[in-house]
């Protein structure tokens, strides 16, 4: 689900369907999920952000989330708040 992509927060149902059963090392499957995300949302451009920027950010967030779920160290996907540092203590 994403906020800031429409007048109200919305679930990306096509994206959810594309992710069901997806192997996290399936690059083609990831691309299908990212394409589904673009199909799920048609954001507007306004003074806060352009439609293209909103879609680009949503795609990047989905890519980062799946990379972290797959076990990529968060130092590769985050600027702040590394999960490994929080779990070390």
């Amino acid at each position: 689900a994403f906020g800031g992509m429409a007048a109200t927060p919305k679930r990306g149902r096509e994206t959810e369907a594309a992710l069901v059963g997806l192997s996290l090392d399936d690059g083609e499957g990831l691309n299908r999920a990212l394409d589904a995300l673009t199909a799920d949302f048609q954001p507007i451009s306004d003074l806060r952000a352009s439609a293209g920027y909103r879609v680009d950010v949503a795609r990047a967030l989905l890519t980062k989330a799946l990379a972290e779920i797959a076990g990529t160290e968060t130092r590769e996907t985050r600027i702040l708040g590394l999960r490994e540092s929080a779990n070390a203590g």
Side-chain angles (χ1 to χ4, degrees):
F2 281 96
M5 296 283 281
T8 59
K10 173 185 162 186
R11 285 174 63 176
R13 299 217 185 256
E14 288 186 40
T15 306
E16 290 174 0
L19 292 171
V20 171
L22 177 69
S23 173
L24 295 175
D25 63 354
D26 179 357
E28 288 182 31
L30 174 60
N31 286 333
R32 285 191 300 274
L34 292 172
D35 289 343
L37 180 75
T38 302
D40 277 328
F41 298 99
Q42 296 78 41
I44 62 166
S45 291
D46 64 16
L47 62 105
R48 292 179 293 271
S50 70
Y53 176 79
R54 292 171 197 264
V55 169
D56 288 347
V57 169
R59 291 172 61 98
L61 288 171
L62 177 58
T63 301
K64 286 177 144 190
L66 293 175
E68 288 186 19
I69 291 167
T72 301
E73 289 191 21
T74 57
R75 70 179 82 293
E76 298 291 326
T77 61
R78 296 185 186 187
I79 297 170
L80 299 172
L82 303 178
R83 180 179 60 231
E84 293 81 8
S85 298
N87 293 334

